[in-house]
Amino acid sequence: MALIDEAAPKTAGSTPPTPGKPQRSAAFRTRAAFAGIVAGNFMVLLDATILNVALPDMKAHLHASAAALPWTVDAYTVVFAGLMLASGAVADRFGARRVYQSAVALFGLLSLLCALAPNVGGLIAGRALLGAAAAGMVPASLSLLAGLYPDAKDRMKAVGAWAALSGIGLAVGPVLGGALVAAGGWRLVFVVNPPLALVSWFLVRGLSSQASGHRKKFDIPGLVLFTVALCALTYGLVDAGTEGWSTPSALVALAVAVLAAVAVAFVERRAETPVLPPELLRLGRVRTNLVTAVAANYIFYGLLYSVTLWFEETRHMSAAMTGVAFLPMMVPLCFLPFFTSRLAHRFGARPMVMVAMVVNVGVGAVLFTVGAHTSLAVVTVAQVLMAIATTLTIPSITADMAVATPRPLAATGQGALNAARQTGSALGVAILGTMSGMHAAGIAMAAGALLTLVLAGLTRRSA
């Protein structure tokens, strides 16, 4: 399927093209389309971290409660995770370019509405809708890359470059967010997205909008139950962390989460096209990758949220200085993925994951020692170690999922992996972000890494 529109036919009497000109023109269009796809995913990942340093300013201006504040972050990731499992099928049915451009345009528009939110409830609703738009963009962008680079080797290089370049958005989020808050307040954080959305929409406009013809049915009950389970679990954890574990609303929410999870398992066994096919979940390596994905994002986003509050509320640092304080962690995230993907190819995913989780246990131990008067150097060491562990983990499990998943379920496997990562992000903010002090956050982080380490070892032996 040709993704780039053919050049317009030449009119009579026009100057003949010089040799090599069509090839150069096609190469330029390919690079432009690639840049547009990168810009869109950059925006998605930027929005996952740019808001954290704006939380205290947002809390003051919107009079947000301690229970509502985590939802300004988690509303995005919960909906993102819930819809990621179906968005690939949507792109297949309606055409990747059409879905991608619609989602990009919606992302830019919703960002403006978030910037104008009159209260915290309106902001949470806007962030939830942003998560839906982001879920529409990511699988569609991968489908566009697959058509843009039909050669397997070129496609692997392109996907690696797409992941690394767009991942810079994850890294620069806190720094850029701090600068914007210092310049004019938290609302400026959302003004970054519309120009990026416009650039991305414009650069991919020449790609084909042809649908694949695949008409996979949606497992709507499974998707609804999965999203309900994740929302209820996140709400219950946030409410319990802020109001206490004996709070009736927290207990009811956690009970709903358990019931919804049980219902998911029951419904999926009888679904014609289950969200997560049983034959996929029966593979030990796939299960390990999904658990590791949850743990990696749980640790990263939980640390980002809790350390941000420690910088600004305990150490009374400005938003701009908080952004600068995150630079030691963010710089490795910009460059290390280019090297760790090669290491994963050479040594395999499991050793990389095991080393990363050992490092994360150490990070949790370091954070356990952090108090109100702890040197910033100690927190900086923890940040750098966590950045290294993250870049060891994510490229490794992404590559391993591609190998461990049967070819007919490849797209489903990658969708499940991304959904698992977003689930981990939501749980990290819900659990670590509501912990009282860095001591408890360090314990929760180390416990998550240790549990993943044990599960990875058990899965390997059973395989």
Side-chain angles (χ1 to χ4, degrees):
M1 179 178 65
L3 285 193
I4 302 294
D5 292 343
E6 297 295 327
K10 306 295 183 294
T11 58
S14 61
T15 302
T18 58
K21 188 174 181 179
Q23 290 86 346
R24 289 196 298 271
S25 178
F28 175 79
R29 291 198 299 269
T30 298
R31 288 193 295 268
F34 174 78
I37 296 170
V38 168
N41 204 57
F42 176 94
M43 181 173 61
V44 169
L45 295 179
L46 179 71
D47 237 53
T49 59
I50 195 173
L51 192 63
N52 286 276
V53 295
L55 291 173
D57 186 68
M58 190 189 315
K59 180 180 180 181
H61 286 86
L62 295 180
H63 308 291
S65 65
L69 201 61
W71 277 104
T72 61
V73 177
D74 265 352
Y76 180 79
T77 53
V78 166
V79 176
F80 196 171
L83 297 182
M84 180 68 72
L85 295 171
S87 54
V90 173
D92 285 339
R93 175 171 293 189
F94 298 106
R97 196 265 289 169
R98 185 178 290 114
V99 171
Y100 181 83
Q101 283 193 299
S102 299
V104 164
L106 188 61
F107 201 100
L109 176 61
L110 290 170
S111 296
L112 288 177
L113 295 179
C114 285
L116 299 173
N119 50 52
V120 69
L123 179 60
I124 291 172
R127 288 281 290 174
L129 293 173
L130 274 179
M137 291 167 62
V138 175
S141 65
L142 285 167
S143 179
L144 291 177
L145 282 176
L148 197 59
Y149 297 92
D151 180 75
K153 286 186 177 180
D154 291 341
R155 183 164 61 250
M156 289 179 66
K157 292 178 182 178
V159 172
W162 167 82
L165 292 172
S166 57
I168 296 175
L170 195 72
V172 304
V175 181
L176 180 59
L180 291 172
V181 172
W186 67 269
R187 296 183 189 275
L188 289 183
V189 166
F190 293 100
V191 180
V192 177
N193 292 331
L196 286 173
L198 182 62
V199 169
S200 180
W201 188 95
F202 181 80
L203 290 178
V204 302
R205 73 193 189 287
L207 300 181
S208 171
S209 60
Q210 180 179 351
S212 67
H214 184 56
R215 293 293 185 265
K216 179 181 176 180
K217 294 182 179 180
F218 298 125
D219 178 20
I220 294 179
L223 291 170
V224 171
L225 287 170
F226 174 80
T227 306
V228 168
L230 183 56
C231 288
L233 178 61
T234 305
Y235 177 85
L237 292 173
V238 170
D239 199 46
T242 55
E243 304 296 333
W245 285 93
S246 60
T247 306
S249 58
L251 296 177
V252 169
L254 293 174
V256 169
V258 173
L259 292 174
V262 173
V264 167
F266 180 81
V267 168
E268 290 296 272
R269 289 182 179 180
R270 291 159 176 77
E272 182 180 350
T273 56
V275 174
L276 289 176
E279 59 268 31
L280 188 65
L281 294 178
R282 280 195 289 266
L283 300 174
R285 284 168 64 185
V286 169
R287 292 197 304 270
T288 300
N289 288 334
L290 294 177
V291 170
T292 304
V294 172
N297 275 40
Y298 160 83
I299 292 169
F300 179 84
Y301 286 94
L303 180 140
L304 189 65
Y305 189 94
S306 55
V307 171
T308 297
L309 295 182
W310 184 80
F311 279 149
E312 297 189 345
E313 295 186 350
T314 303
R315 297 300 296 264
H316 305 292
M317 295 170 60
S318 67
M321 288 304 300
T322 297
V324 172
F326 276 114
L327 274 175
M329 179 176 74
M330 298 307 172
V331 170
L333 291 174
C334 294
F335 301 103
L336 286 181
F338 290 100
F339 301 100
T340 54
S341 58
R342 297 179 183 178
L343 292 174
H345 177 73
R346 180 174 181 180
F347 298 106
R350 181 176 176 269
M352 306 289 282
V353 169
M354 302 290 275
V355 170
M357 291 304 148
V358 170
V359 172
N360 280 327
V361 171
V363 171
V366 171
L367 292 180
F368 179 75
T369 68
V370 173
H373 304 289
T374 301
S375 170
L376 290 179
V378 175
V379 179
T380 299
V381 169
Q383 289 181 44
V384 173
L385 289 175
M386 195 274 299
I388 293 172
T390 300
T391 54
L392 286 174
T393 305
I394 299 302
S396 301
I397 60 176
T398 302
D400 191 65
M401 182 66 87
V403 176
T405 306
R407 182 171 296 180
L409 298 175
T412 302
Q414 291 297 330
L417 187 69
N418 279 284
R421 290 180 59 187
Q422 295 306 319
T423 300
S425 303
L427 295 180
V429 173
I431 297 174
L432 273 67
T434 54
M435 291 289 181
S436 179
M438 294 290 283
H439 304 290
I443 294 174
M445 180 181 296
L450 187 60
L451 177 61
T452 306
L453 191 64
V454 172
L455 290 175
L458 292 175
T459 301
R460 178 66 178 181
R461 284 197 295 271
S462 66

Coordinates of all heavy atoms in Angstrom, one line a residue, residues 332-380:
P332 N 20.0 11.6 30.8 CA 20.2 10.2 30.4 C 19.0 9.6 29.6 O 19.2 8.8 28.7 CB 20.4 9.4 31.7 CG 20.8 10.4 32.7 CD 20.1 11.7 32.3
L333 N 17.8 10.1 29.9 CA 16.7 9.6 29.2 C 16.7 10.0 27.7 O 16.0 9.3 26.9 CB 15.4 10.0 29.8 CG 15.1 9.5 31.2 CD1 13.9 10.2 31.8 CD2 14.8 8.0 31.2
C334 N 17.4 11.1 27.4 CA 17.4 11.5 26.0 C 18.4 10.7 25.1 O 18.2 10.6 23.9 CB 17.8 13.0 25.9 SG 16.6 14.1 26.7
F335 N 19.5 10.2 25.8 CA 20.5 9.6 25.0 C 20.7 8.1 25.2 O 21.0 7.3 24.3 CB 21.9 10.3 25.3 CG 21.8 11.7 25.1 CD1 21.7 12.6 26.1 CD2 21.9 12.2 23.8 CE1 21.7 14.0 25.8 CE2 21.9 13.6 23.5 CZ 21.8 14.5 24.5
L336 N 20.4 7.6 26.4 CA 20.7 6.2 26.7 C 19.9 5.2 25.9 O 20.4 4.1 25.6 CB 20.5 5.9 28.2 CG 21.7 6.4 29.1 CD1 21.4 6.1 30.5 CD2 23.0 5.9 28.7
P337 N 18.6 5.5 25.5 CA 17.9 4.5 24.7 C 18.5 4.1 23.4 O 18.4 3.0 23.0 CB 16.5 5.2 24.5 CG 16.4 6.2 25.6 CD 17.8 6.6 25.9
F338 N 19.3 5.0 22.8 CA 20.0 4.6 21.6 C 21.0 3.5 21.8 O 21.3 2.7 21.0 CB 20.8 5.8 21.0 CG 19.9 6.9 20.5 CD1 19.6 8.0 21.2 CD2 19.3 6.7 19.2 CE1 18.7 9.0 20.7 CE2 18.4 7.7 18.7 CZ 18.1 8.8 19.5
F339 N 21.6 3.4 23.1 CA 22.6 2.4 23.4 C 22.0 1.1 24.0 O 22.4 0.0 23.8 CB 23.7 3.0 24.3 CG 24.3 4.2 23.7 CD1 24.0 5.5 24.1 CD2 25.3 4.0 22.8 CE1 24.6 6.6 23.5 CE2 26.0 5.1 22.2 CZ 25.6 6.4 22.6
T340 N 21.0 1.4 24.9 CA 20.4 0.2 25.6 C 19.6 -0.7 24.7 O 19.5 -1.9 25.0 CB 19.5 0.7 26.8 OG1 18.5 1.6 26.2 CG2 20.3 1.4 27.8
S341 N 19.1 -0.2 23.6 CA 18.4 -1.1 22.7 C 19.4 -2.0 22.0 O 19.1 -3.2 21.8 CB 17.7 -0.2 21.6 OG 18.6 0.6 20.9
R342 N 20.6 -1.6 21.8 CA 21.7 -2.5 21.3 C 22.1 -3.5 22.3 O 22.3 -4.7 22.0 CB 22.9 -1.7 20.8 CG 22.6 -0.7 19.7 CD 23.9 0.1 19.4 NE 23.6 1.1 18.4 CZ 24.5 2.0 17.9 NH1 25.7 2.0 18.4 NH2 24.2 2.9 17.0
L343 N 22.2 -3.1 23.6 CA 22.5 -4.1 24.6 C 21.4 -5.1 24.8 O 21.7 -6.3 25.0 CB 22.7 -3.3 26.0 CG 23.9 -2.4 26.1 CD1 23.8 -1.6 27.4 CD2 25.2 -3.1 25.9
A344 N 20.2 -4.7 24.7 CA 19.1 -5.7 24.7 C 19.1 -6.7 23.6 O 18.9 -7.9 23.8 CB 17.7 -5.0 24.7
H345 N 19.5 -6.2 22.4 CA 19.6 -7.1 21.3 C 20.8 -8.1 21.5 O 20.7 -9.3 21.1 CB 19.9 -6.3 20.0 CG 20.1 -7.1 18.8 ND1 19.1 -7.8 18.1 CD2 21.2 -7.4 18.1 CE1 19.6 -8.5 17.1 NE2 20.8 -8.2 17.0
R346 N 21.8 -7.7 22.1 CA 23.0 -8.5 22.3 C 22.8 -9.5 23.5 O 23.2 -10.7 23.3 CB 24.2 -7.7 22.5 CG 25.5 -8.5 22.7 CD 26.7 -7.6 22.8 NE 28.0 -8.4 23.0 CZ 29.2 -7.8 23.1 NH1 29.3 -6.5 23.0 NH2 30.2 -8.6 23.2
F347 N 22.3 -9.0 24.6 CA 22.3 -9.9 25.8 C 20.9 -10.4 26.1 O 20.8 -11.3 27.0 CB 22.8 -9.1 27.0 CG 24.2 -8.6 26.9 CD1 24.5 -7.3 26.6 CD2 25.3 -9.5 27.0 CE1 25.8 -6.9 26.5 CE2 26.6 -9.1 26.9 CZ 26.9 -7.8 26.6
G348 N 19.9 -9.9 25.5 CA 18.5 -10.4 25.8 C 17.8 -9.5 26.8 O 18.5 -8.7 27.5
A349 N 16.5 -9.6 26.8 CA 15.7 -8.7 27.7 C 15.8 -9.1 29.1 O 15.9 -8.2 30.0 CB 14.2 -8.8 27.2
R350 N 15.8 -10.4 29.5 CA 15.7 -10.8 30.9 C 16.9 -10.2 31.7 O 16.7 -9.7 32.8 CB 15.6 -12.3 31.0 CG 15.5 -12.8 32.5 CD 15.4 -14.3 32.5 NE 15.4 -14.7 33.9 CZ 16.4 -15.1 34.6 NH1 17.6 -15.1 34.0 NH2 16.4 -15.5 35.8
P351 N 18.2 -10.4 31.3 CA 19.3 -9.8 32.1 C 19.2 -8.3 32.3 O 19.5 -7.8 33.3 CB 20.5 -10.2 31.2 CG 20.1 -11.3 30.4 CD 18.7 -11.1 30.1
M352 N 18.7 -7.6 31.2 CA 18.5 -6.2 31.3 C 17.5 -5.8 32.4 O 17.7 -4.9 33.2 CB 18.1 -5.6 30.0 CG 19.1 -5.9 28.8 SD 20.7 -5.1 29.0 CE 20.2 -3.5 28.4
V353 N 16.4 -6.5 32.4 CA 15.3 -6.3 33.3 C 15.7 -6.6 34.7 O 15.5 -5.8 35.7 CB 14.0 -7.1 33.0 CG1 13.0 -7.0 34.1 CG2 13.4 -6.6 31.7
M354 N 16.5 -7.7 34.9 CA 16.9 -8.1 36.2 C 17.9 -7.0 36.8 O 17.7 -6.6 38.0 CB 17.6 -9.4 36.2 CG 16.8 -10.6 35.6 SD 15.4 -11.1 36.7 CE 16.3 -12.2 37.8
V355 N 18.8 -6.6 36.0 CA 19.7 -5.5 36.5 C 19.0 -4.2 36.8 O 19.2 -3.6 37.8 CB 20.8 -5.2 35.4 CG1 21.6 -4.0 35.7 CG2 21.7 -6.4 35.2
A356 N 18.0 -3.9 36.0 CA 17.2 -2.6 36.2 C 16.5 -2.7 37.5 O 16.4 -1.7 38.3 CB 16.3 -2.4 35.0
M357 N 15.8 -3.8 37.8 CA 15.1 -3.9 39.0 C 15.9 -4.0 40.3 O 15.6 -3.4 41.3 CB 14.2 -5.2 39.0 CG 13.1 -5.1 37.9 SD 12.0 -3.6 38.2 CE 11.6 -3.2 36.5
V358 N 17.1 -4.5 40.1 CA 18.1 -4.5 41.3 C 18.5 -3.0 41.5 O 18.5 -2.5 42.7 CB 19.3 -5.3 41.0 CG1 20.4 -5.0 42.0 CG2 19.0 -6.8 41.0
V359 N 18.7 -2.3 40.4 CA 19.0 -0.8 40.6 C 17.8 -0.1 41.2 O 18.0 0.8 42.1 CB 19.3 -0.2 39.2 CG1 19.5 1.3 39.3 CG2 20.6 -0.8 38.7
N360 N 16.6 -0.4 40.8 CA 15.4 0.3 41.4 C 15.2 -0.1 42.9 O 14.8 0.8 43.6 CB 14.2 -0.1 40.6 CG 14.0 0.7 39.3 OD1 14.4 1.8 39.2 ND2 13.5 0.0 38.3
V361 N 15.6 -1.3 43.3 CA 15.6 -1.6 44.7 C 16.5 -0.6 45.4 O 16.2 -0.1 46.5 CB 15.9 -3.0 44.9 CG1 16.1 -3.3 46.4 CG2 14.8 -4.0 44.4
G362 N 17.7 -0.4 44.8 CA 18.7 0.5 45.4 C 18.2 1.9 45.5 O 18.4 2.6 46.5
V363 N 17.4 2.3 44.4 CA 16.9 3.7 44.4 C 15.9 3.8 45.6 O 15.8 4.8 46.3 CB 16.2 3.9 43.1 CG1 15.4 5.2 43.1 CG2 17.2 4.0 41.9
G364 N 15.0 2.8 45.8 CA 14.1 2.8 46.9 C 14.8 2.9 48.2 O 14.3 3.7 49.1
A365 N 15.9 2.2 48.4 CA 16.7 2.3 49.6 C 17.3 3.7 49.8 O 17.3 4.2 51.0 CB 17.8 1.3 49.6
V366 N 17.7 4.3 48.7 CA 18.2 5.7 48.9 C 17.1 6.7 49.3 O 17.3 7.5 50.2 CB 18.9 6.1 47.5 CG1 19.2 7.6 47.6 CG2 20.1 5.3 47.2
L367 N 16.0 6.6 48.6 CA 14.9 7.5 48.9 C 14.4 7.3 50.4 O 13.8 8.2 51.0 CB 13.7 7.2 48.0 CG 14.0 7.7 46.5 CD1 12.8 7.4 45.6 CD2 14.4 9.2 46.4
F368 N 14.5 6.1 50.9 CA 14.1 5.8 52.3 C 14.9 6.7 53.3 O 14.4 7.0 54.3 CB 14.3 4.3 52.6 CG 13.9 3.9 54.0 CD1 12.6 3.8 54.4 CD2 14.9 3.7 55.0 CE1 12.3 3.5 55.7 CE2 14.6 3.4 56.3 CZ 13.3 3.3 56.6
T369 N 16.1 7.1 52.9 CA 16.9 7.9 53.8 C 16.6 9.4 53.6 O 17.2 10.2 54.4 CB 18.4 7.7 53.5 OG1 18.7 8.2 52.2 CG2 18.7 6.2 53.6
V370 N 15.8 9.8 52.7 CA 15.6 11.2 52.4 C 14.6 11.8 53.4 O 13.5 11.3 53.6 CB 15.1 11.4 50.9 CG1 14.7 12.8 50.7 CG2 16.1 10.9 49.9
G371 N 15.1 12.9 54.0 CA 14.2 13.7 54.9 C 14.2 15.2 54.4 O 14.6 15.5 53.3
A372 N 13.6 16.0 55.3 CA 13.5 17.4 54.9 C 14.8 18.1 54.7 O 14.9 19.1 53.9 CB 12.7 18.1 56.0
H373 N 15.9 17.7 55.3 CA 17.2 18.4 55.2 C 18.2 17.5 54.5 O 19.4 17.8 54.6 CB 17.7 18.7 56.6 CG 16.7 19.5 57.5 ND1 16.4 20.8 57.2 CD2 15.9 19.2 58.5 CE1 15.5 21.3 58.0 NE2 15.2 20.3 58.9
T374 N 17.8 16.5 53.8 CA 18.7 15.7 53.0 C 19.3 16.5 51.9 O 18.6 17.4 51.2 CB 18.0 14.5 52.4 OG1 17.4 13.7 53.5 CG2 18.9 13.6 51.6
S375 N 20.6 16.3 51.6 CA 21.2 17.0 50.5 C 20.6 16.7 49.2 O 20.2 15.5 48.9 CB 22.7 16.6 50.5 OG 23.3 17.1 49.3
L376 N 20.5 17.7 48.3 CA 20.0 17.5 47.0 C 20.8 16.5 46.2 O 20.3 15.8 45.3 CB 19.9 18.8 46.2 CG 18.9 19.8 46.7 CD1 19.0 21.1 45.8 CD2 17.5 19.3 46.6
A377 N 22.1 16.3 46.5 CA 23.0 15.4 45.8 C 22.5 13.9 46.0 O 22.6 13.1 45.1 CB 24.4 15.5 46.4
V378 N 21.9 13.6 47.2 CA 21.4 12.3 47.4 C 20.2 12.0 46.5 O 20.1 10.9 45.9 CB 21.0 12.1 48.9 CG1 20.3 10.8 49.1 CG2 22.2 12.3 49.8
V379 N 19.3 13.0 46.4 CA 18.1 12.8 45.5 C 18.6 12.8 44.0 O 18.0 12.0 43.2 CB 17.1 13.9 45.7 CG1 15.9 13.8 44.8 CG2 16.7 13.9 47.2
T380 N 19.6 13.5 43.7 CA 20.1 13.5 42.3 C 20.7 12.1 42.0 O 20.4 11.6 40.8 CB 21.2 14.6 42.1 OG1 20.7 15.9 42.4 CG2 21.8 14.5 40.7

